[in-house]
Amino acid sequence: MSKLEIRFAGSGGQGLILSGRLLFQAVVLDGKRAAQSQSYEPTSRGGFCNSDLVVADREVDYPLVTAIDYLIALDQIGVAPSAAMMAPGALVLTDARLVPEPPEGDITLHQLPFTDEAIALGSHRAANVVALGTLVGLSGICDRQAVGEAVREGTPKAFLDLNLEALRRGFEMADELDQGEPDGKVVRL
Amino acid sequence: MTAGMANLHGNHACALGAIAAGCRFFAGYPITPSSEIAERMSRELPLVGGTFVQMEDEIASMAAVLGASAGGVKSMTATSGPGFSLKQENIGLASMAEIPCVIANVMRGGPSTGMPTRPAQSDIMQARWGSHGDHPLIALAPASVKEIHDQTIRAFNLSERYRVPVMVLFDQVIAHLLEPIELPAAGSLDLVERRWANGDDGYQPYAAGADGIPAMTRPGDGHRTHTTGLTHAEDGFPTQDPDTVTRVMDRLLGKLDQHGQDIEAFECHDTKDAEVLVVAYGISARAARRAVRQARERGIAAGLFRPITLWPFPEQALRTAADQARSVLVPEMNAGQLVLEVERICRDEVRVAGLNRVDGQPIEPSQIARRIEEMAADD
């Protein structure tokens, strides 16, 4: 069975669980099987939060991540708990402002201004969706249209325009990285 | 929700399974990580003419559930951690007065407040023995979102058929797991409706026929009845006459044995020739499934026995699954609970060992795989 493991890590309140849920919807729309899980601390704001996704071509046997292929870290607090779970060669996207000490090891790391871009679009709260767009743009885990549809279906009306803008910005950031003109620092370890 | 594919959390699947089973009353007190069951019920029940009550605490919630059920409505509650402890006295009343009810318990790290957001499987013995006295009950342990939905429906069916409290035990991981599931069409479900007493002047509320299950009377149907937690005779009134007490307790404690085949559910994977047998339930069983598959790929004769009904434990089925086994491994997120039951059943034939975690982390497939290899090498 071929499978992919994805983790959105950071601090409670950053919309990580929503990102995981949106990506789940998108990959299921794309015809894949998936399981999305979450772990968090009793404090609902602050404290670490992981939102995990296992994507497979058939039914997911064990639904939790064991070797992460894609890590999106939006806050420093999310980095340490994932360190021992990275698959070799994993793609790691971290927030340039909120993750001063990104993970190290056999990974491909992009430090990107998710939060700054979200602020430029109107609210830091959209950083999770900027990151989601970048991840989908870079990885091709699912169709861009599918994640767009998931965002449209899964976002409350008041945030829909902002989230769609954030997603588009995420796609652009992925394209800029692909063209070798990254917004952030690119480190290959 | 309409039939077809749906992306659901475990807790929401529990609520929708309950509604599909005909549950029309929920009383509860929100507690992590079970709260989404109550939340979903509060939205769904009014849409189908049901009643949702947020009570002042867990003790009152359980009491309200018994009252509603005695009034003729399929009823449930959901809880976690300390809330499960608080419900225990009234769960005993349900066993004694034979009032059908369903209790979903999303297990989290304990004891006491413990780790509210972390998974555990540490209420296995409390589910069985948390209420005082010898008492009949059923506990089911689903391992996926789909199974939470289906076993919640089954919990109502068993509860209504055998007049016992039925627990649905799962953990924070599958409670908050999002998986695509196929929802059955409403008419396609096999639902059990309570057997009501009808038209007999000589009605005795606790007199049973050959199946050991007395018919209930619906309030207002005109039968004289009495409901009490005191030990009672067939007429419902308290008794301490030793012969009568022996007779009524034999029926009460024997009624589930009599119907074991209908109640005991389990799943076997590669058990026929398994030399190392893993016995696992809930999320740990999904880790075990991968570990067993990997062991087979490496040429180790490993197998998985997954009890879906934990109480009463499918004893004969385990004996059969362990027939060729030289060792049995029981991984669980507690300090060793169901392993005691497995030891009781298997210890004369095989070596039984536990694999335990009490750190709020799920057991990983690689941990089980390592132990399978060690046990295979020891044999």
Side-chain angles (χ1 to χ4, degrees), chain A residues 1 3 5 20-21 24-25 28 32-42 48 54 58 60-66 85, chain B residues 5 7-9 32-33 36 115-118 172-174 176-180 283 286-290 293 362-365:
Chain A
M1 178 170 72
K3 67 173 171 57
E5 299 188 358
R21 210 177 290 171
F24 171 91
Q25 300 280 4
V28 170
K32 299 185 182 80
R33 303 301 297 258
Q36 190 260 329
S37 60
Q38 47 182 286
S39 52
Y40 55 95
E41 291 183 296
F48 89 84
V54 177
R58 57 185 165 88
V60 176
D61 55 356
Y62 182 63
L64 305 183
V65 299
T66 54
M85 298 183 87
Chain B
M5 289 306 286
N7 300 322
L8 284 177
H9 275 123
T32 299
E36 296 84 0
M115 291 180 281
T117 64
R118 304 304 311 164
Q172 181 271 333
V173 172
I174 40 177
H176 290 159
L177 189 65
L178 186 61
E179 287 185 306
I283 184 67
R286 293 182 70 168
R289 183 90 182 89
R290 185 184 285 179
R293 196 176 284 143
I363 296 172
E364 288 172 22

Side-chain angles (χ1 to χ4, degrees), chain B residues 4 168 220 224 277 333 378:
Chain B
V168 187
R224 269 196 292 268
L277 182 70
M333 284 188 280
D378 280 356

Side-chain angles (χ1 to χ4, degrees), chain A residues 91-94 108-112 138 177 185-188:
Chain A
L91 177 69
V92 178
L93 310 179
T94 63
T108 300
L109 173 71
H110 298 293
Q111 292 174 281
L112 298 167
L138 275 178
L177 277 174
K185 187 170 67 172
V186 182
V187 184
R188 284 181 200 279

